[in-house]
Amino acid sequence: MSKPLSIAVAGLGTVGAGVLKLLEANAGLIAARAGRPIVVGAVSARDRTRDRGIRLETLRWYDDPVALAADPGTDVVVELIGGSEGPARALVEAAIAAGKPVVTANKALLAVHGAALAEQAEARRVALAFEAAVAGGIPAIKGLREGLAANRLSRVAGILNGTCNYILTVMREQGREFAEVLAEAQKLGYAEADPAFDIDGIDAAHKLAILAALAFGRPVDFGAVHVEGIRNVTALDIALAGELGYRIKLLGIAARTPGGISTRVHPCMVPVAAPIARVDGVFNAVVAEGDFVGRVMLEGRGAGAGPTASAVVADLIDLARGRHTPVWGAANGALESVPAEPMERHRGAYYLRLMVLDRPGVIADVTGILRDQAISLESMLQRGRAPGEAVPVVLTTHECEEAQMRAAITRIAALETVLETPALIRIEPL
Amino acid sequence: MSKPLSIAVAGLGTVGAGVLKLLEANAGLIAARAGRPIVVGAVSARDRTRDRGIRLETLRWYDDPVALAADPGTDVVVELIGGSEGPARALVEAAIAAGKPVVTANKALLAVHGAALAEQAEARRVALAFEAAVAGGIPAIKGLREGLAANRLSRVAGILNGTCNYILTVMREQGREFAEVLAEAQKLGYAEADPAFDIDGIDAAHKLAILAALAFGRPVDFGAVHVEGIRNVTALDIALAGELGYRIKLLGIAARTPGGISTRVHPCMVPVAAPIARVDGVFNAVVAEGDFVGRVMLEGRGAGAGPTASAVVADLIDLARGRHTPVWGAANGALESVPAEPMERHRGAYYLRLMVLDRPGVIADVTGILRDQAISLESMLQRGRAPGEAVPVVLTTHECEEAQMRAAITRIAALETVLETPALIRIEPL
């Protein structure tokens, strides 16, 4: 057996500790599959004394993570600090500059600086691997970039944030409101103390930007992603979705359109019969549509110490075996420059739920505005009767353009008889 | 860009023609992802004149496929002839002996001769790739062997034969009997004229043997697979399964058990809520359970020209990039010798459906036999009443051993009041 692969791990939080535990627990089979042992030589973390349930005494300790890049005994640097800036970015850049392969779980870094990092990695002929950055333990990066590499993809979509999927699942199963379920998820450790990154869709958008770059062979473009989170999803809309034959999921969707590549993260209504509609709780899923392979769906745990460590170590095994793939699936010079389609140009069907005063003429006002915007109604449903009081009215439309819908919503929201901000959820025919 | 990878293709049936079409249709993106063009230099097939919708004039033609191994312009041999013996086996062995990497879609060859071929490939340091051999376009081999390589797997299960899944799906949706749906599937091209290979479970067993070897890191052992097909599944049992909250699927299941590795292909009752229960029609799925990653499911099209070509070309892109993995995921010397658990030792719950004469004492006879074999009943249901005539009786059991159940069935079948061979379907808590 060849010389061990010696790694340095920066960041010993849940994931970092998980990687060390996995490497120890499955050392024998990992060595067999990697062709040589994978051993941790050096680590860096904020607090040396904290008990993480792993032995650190025999490892070289660095207070400054960036110094790991220069550790002479290290073959591969594993960055598990997180964040698109600061020490994570500095360490990855330093490791590449030092000619050391990098494995990272850092979606923010790849989404924001991935284009520049890929160029640095290519210039230095260094691997930059990030299976753990998207969809946790699901081999989604490998699946898309290698497994489906023969295909021209038309679309990649996914449930990319387990916190949001957990909250939406519990809201539906228990008929409860967002704020209450979020608070419970925080207690259970399924949501962060500051949950904005997850529930406002940023985390999913980072992952979608990465998937879109891989799927369409173009430089990663986080700025182009349209992002909406799940704060405004109500128990009422989830119940009404069910009546209409849909589930509400926070999806990231990247698609090739006549105008270029559209990338968007927002709550969607998906038909109950669609496989992705049944991916519940903390599970993630990625669906890809290829011209030869058709539809492929990959499903599994998208977060947590075990699944994320599984992905990190899969990357390490690839490196130990000498398996290497360009960051975005092709050399930087071979990436295509495809324009991003702005959200205003999105075409699709819409669910619109209004709280209106129950009095004659309201529906005529609303449908008149939709007609003025050339939006064609598919269905209209007024729930219950309460003359002079607020009642929900649900409308679904045929396909129209987002810009038309936004113009219509602005006018509808301004109607005196419309009592709350209209709820708008896009319907996705997955 | 580097020198093109020149390939020779043996077998120009549906899949072979599909590979040539794919390589032409997506030549640009394949070259970008492979780092160099992949071009077909030579081909071999039975009939040179048949119109396959592809141009062959510029290619070197060989009447004898085995001669492709010696073609001086060929870098990689692609074997798409099929069958565990004959020219397919001869070509693969000749190519390996000549030091040429092989890509094949041949599950029978890998299942039956995979251990010897892996040794030959390792001795010659030649790649033998077979993503297309299991689950068509789903990157299942790559997913297991590389994507989940950090995990100790406890179980791999799958819907591995699209023909069987299509027939079972139509039987359930339309309440029709096996023979009728099979005949229709043959007309539609979803089943072969000689369907035995598919419907008797052999094809699924070949694929399961391959998955089991990868999952558990042991030499492939097709002979150890317990195989039952779907010929005896009735519309009645499918309907009764639905009432009990199950779907009937032909599954291949490989699991680590106290006695070793159990591998079996047979119709199963799976809970409707299990993700695999919803994989319908010609779709395949593979579910793996890993110690760190948890449950991962991969789903997609398991057969057909496009999906299979997608997998073949993915292997070619790997080879063009120099990505290499040992046939069974580890060097032959690192494979473990784990005993196969015989089917008699299988433990699980059972569904048993009898056609009995509706007269007093029958149920007491049947349940008495189960008690004698120490089999504990979970439920009993007699459908309808027809004194003196045949009525179905359904029993479900708690977990017991297969040997006990077989002994009980033999005695039950011998009862004068039991009118047909009892239907037995294993219940799988997926």
Side-chain angles (χ1 to χ4, degrees):
Chain A
M1 196 163 278
S2 322
K3 166 179 168 296
L5 186 79
S6 182
I7 70 170
V9 178
L12 292 176
T14 312
V15 174
V19 168
L20 266 61
K21 283 176 194 160
L22 170 50
L23 286 170
E24 191 179 326
N26 288 349
L29 72 83
I30 289 168
R33 293 171 184 172
R36 47 183 166 146
I38 297 177
V39 298
V40 183
V43 292
S44 174
R46 248 176 296 188
D47 181 357
R48 192 167 184 169
T49 58
R50 203 177 118 209
D51 180 14
R52 299 171 173 89
I54 42 176
R55 277 173 308 168
L56 302 173
E57 306 87 62
T58 58
L59 309 178
R60 299 182 293 283
W61 179 276
Y62 288 84
D63 288 317
D64 175 13
V66 182
L68 288 176
D71 177 71
T74 290
D75 301 315
V76 176
V77 170
V78 180
E79 184 277 300
L80 302 171
I81 301 166
S84 65
E85 312 297 335
R89 182 182 179 191
L91 170 59
V92 170
E93 291 184 339
I96 292 171
K100 301 218 169 158
V102 174
V103 172
T104 176
N106 192 330
K107 50 224 102 177
L109 180 68
L110 264 294
V112 177
H113 299 296
L117 290 172
E119 287 178 12
Q120 292 163 31
E122 186 173 303
R124 296 285 311 173
R125 297 173 172 273
V126 162
L128 170 58
F130 53 95
E131 181 63 69
V134 178
I138 307 172
I141 303 295
K142 186 176 276 287
L144 278 189
R145 197 170 59 176
E146 302 172 26
L148 305 186
N151 292 269
R152 189 174 303 278
L153 299 184
S154 55
R155 183 184 175 95
V156 178
I159 293 175
L160 301 173
N161 184 277
T163 303
C164 288
N165 204 43
Y166 172 82
I167 291 174
L168 292 174
T169 301
V170 174
M171 286 176 71
R172 176 177 59 78
E173 287 176 349
Q174 302 177 6
R176 291 161 66 196
E177 290 295 352
F178 172 78
E180 191 187 331
V181 176
L182 169 62
E184 188 183 271
Q186 287 173 312
K187 272 189 214 149
L188 292 169
Y190 293 161
E192 303 282 339
D194 177 0
F197 211 66
D198 289 314
I199 64 176
D200 290 335
I202 324 273
D203 175 72
H206 283 145
K207 295 166 180 168
L208 182 69
I210 293 170
L211 290 179
L214 288 173
F216 302 116
R218 54 155 206 172
V220 62
D221 186 1
F222 174 63
V225 183
H226 172 84
V227 192
E228 298 170 29
I230 62 166
R231 282 185 204 264
N232 298 324
V233 176
T234 65
L236 174 62
D237 292 315
I238 290 177
L240 289 167
E243 287 183 35
L244 294 166
Y246 295 107
R247 294 268 167 93
I248 298 181
K249 294 288 180 190
L250 183 76
L251 296 187
I253 301 172
R256 201 180 280 278
T257 68
I261 303 292
S262 117
T263 50
R264 50 201 170 92
V265 170
H266 53 70
C268 295
M269 293 217 179
V270 294
V272 175
I276 208 167
R278 269 85 169 256
V279 177
D280 280 334
V282 296
F283 277 79
N284 281 21
V286 174
V287 182
E289 293 273 356
D291 55 352
F292 279 75
V293 78
R295 191 193 81 210
V296 173
M297 182 162 110
L298 315 177
E299 181 186 342
R301 290 181 183 277
T308 311
S310 167
V312 167
V313 176
D315 277 344
L316 290 169
I317 293 172
D318 272 359
L319 291 173
R321 279 275 177 206
R323 290 191 294 255
H324 179 51
T325 307
V327 175
W328 300 113
N332 292 300
L335 298 179
E336 284 181 76
S337 166
V338 191
E341 185 182 71
M343 194 61 195
E344 294 71 33
R345 293 280 83 77
H346 167 69
R347 291 190 64 82
Y350 292 80
Y351 159 99
L352 197 57
R353 196 257 310 151
L354 312 173
M355 292 306 292
V356 302
L357 264 188
D358 187 7
R359 73 182 191 205
V362 178
I363 302 295
D365 290 347
V366 170
T367 55
I369 291 171
L370 293 171
R371 177 206 56 214
D372 292 351
Q373 292 295 332
I375 295 169
S376 159
L377 273 181
E378 196 214 34
S379 72
M380 195 281 292
L381 173 72
Q382 176 177 330
R383 296 300 304 283
R385 293 255 18 214
E389 291 182 47
V391 289
V393 168
V394 173
L395 305 128
T396 63
T397 75
H398 289 292
E399 192 177 292
C400 66
E401 196 171 69
E402 176 93 5
Q404 294 170 286
M405 180 51 77
R406 290 191 188 173
I409 289 275
T410 305
R411 284 185 56 201
I412 289 169
L415 290 173
E416 187 200 342
T417 47
V418 170
L419 303 174
E420 296 176 8
T421 307
L424 178 146
I425 302 179
R426 296 172 193 89
I427 298 173
E428 293 295 324
L430 276 169
Chain B
M1 197 164 274
S2 321
K3 167 178 168 296
L5 186 78
S6 182
I7 70 170
V9 178
L12 291 176
T14 313
V15 174
V19 168
L20 266 60
K21 283 175 193 161
L22 170 50
L23 286 170
E24 191 180 326
N26 289 350
L29 72 81
I30 289 168
R33 293 171 183 173
R36 48 183 166 147
I38 297 177
V39 298
V40 183
V43 292
S44 174
R46 248 177 295 190
D47 181 357
R48 193 168 184 169
T49 58
R50 203 177 117 209
D51 180 12
R52 300 171 171 91
I54 43 177
R55 279 173 309 169
L56 301 174
E57 306 88 62
T58 58
L59 308 177
R60 299 182 294 284
W61 179 276
Y62 288 84
D63 288 318
D64 174 13
V66 182
L68 288 176
D71 177 72
T74 290
D75 301 316
V76 177
V77 169
V78 180
E79 185 277 302
L80 302 172
I81 302 166
S84 65
E85 310 298 333
R89 181 181 178 191
L91 170 59
V92 170
E93 291 184 340
I96 292 172
K100 302 217 169 160
V102 174
V103 173
T104 177
N106 194 330
K107 52 222 98 177
L109 180 66
L110 264 294
V112 176
H113 299 295
L117 291 173
E119 287 179 11
Q120 292 162 30
E122 184 172 303
R124 296 284 311 172
R125 296 173 172 273
V126 162
L128 170 56
F130 53 95
E131 181 62 71
V134 178
I138 308 172
I141 302 295
K142 186 176 276 287
L144 278 189
R145 197 171 56 176
E146 301 172 26
L148 305 186
N151 293 269
R152 187 175 303 278
L153 299 184
S154 55
R155 183 184 175 93
V156 177
I159 293 176
L160 301 173
N161 184 278
T163 303
C164 289
N165 204 43
Y166 172 81
I167 291 173
L168 292 174
T169 301
V170 174
M171 286 176 70
R172 176 178 59 79
E173 287 176 349
Q174 303 177 5
R176 290 160 66 197
E177 290 295 350
F178 171 78
E180 191 188 332
V181 176
L182 169 62
E184 188 183 88
Q186 287 173 311
K187 272 189 213 151
L188 292 168
Y190 293 160
E192 304 282 339
D194 177 0
F197 211 66
D198 290 314
I199 65 177
D200 290 336
I202 323 274
D203 175 72
H206 284 145
K207 294 165 179 169
L208 182 70
I210 293 170
L211 290 179
L214 288 174
F216 302 116
R218 53 153 207 173
V220 62
D221 186 1
F222 174 63
V225 183
H226 172 84
V227 192
E228 297 171 29
I230 63 166
R231 281 186 204 264
N232 298 325
V233 177
T234 64
L236 174 62
D237 292 316
I238 291 178
L240 290 167
E243 286 183 36
L244 294 166
Y246 295 107
R247 294 269 167 91
I248 298 180
K249 294 288 181 189
L250 182 75
L251 296 188
I253 301 171
R256 200 181 281 279
T257 68
I261 303 292
S262 117
T263 50
R264 51 202 169 91
V265 169
H266 54 69
C268 294
M269 293 217 179
V270 293
V272 175
I276 207 167
R278 271 84 171 255
V279 176
D280 279 334
V282 297
F283 276 79
N284 282 21
V286 174
V287 182
E289 294 272 355
D291 55 352
F292 278 76
V293 77
R295 191 193 79 210
V296 173
M297 181 163 108
L298 315 176
E299 180 186 342
R301 291 180 182 276
T308 311
S310 167
V312 167
V313 177
D315 277 344
L316 290 169
I317 293 172
D318 272 358
L319 291 174
R321 279 275 177 205
R323 289 191 295 254
H324 179 52
T325 307
V327 174
W328 300 113
N332 292 300
L335 298 179
E336 284 181 76
S337 165
V338 191
E341 186 184 70
M343 194 62 194
E344 294 71 33
R345 292 280 85 75
H346 168 69
R347 291 190 64 83
Y350 292 80
Y351 159 100
L352 197 56
R353 195 256 311 148
L354 312 173
M355 294 305 291
V356 302
L357 265 189
D358 186 6
R359 74 180 191 208
V362 178
I363 302 295
D365 291 346
V366 170
T367 55
I369 291 171
L370 293 171
R371 177 207 55 212
D372 292 350
Q373 292 295 332
I375 296 169
S376 158
L377 273 181
E378 195 215 35
S379 72
M380 194 282 292
L381 173 72
Q382 176 176 331
R383 296 299 306 282
R385 293 251 23 210
E389 292 180 47
V391 288
V393 168
V394 173
L395 305 128
T396 62
T397 75
H398 289 291
E399 193 178 291
C400 65
E401 196 171 70
E402 176 92 6
Q404 294 170 285
M405 179 50 77
R406 289 190 188 174
I409 289 274
T410 304
R411 285 185 56 200
I412 290 170
L415 289 173
E416 188 200 343
T417 47
V418 170
L419 303 175
E420 296 175 8
T421 307
L424 178 147
I425 302 180
R426 297 171 192 89
I427 298 173
E428 292 295 325
L430 276 169

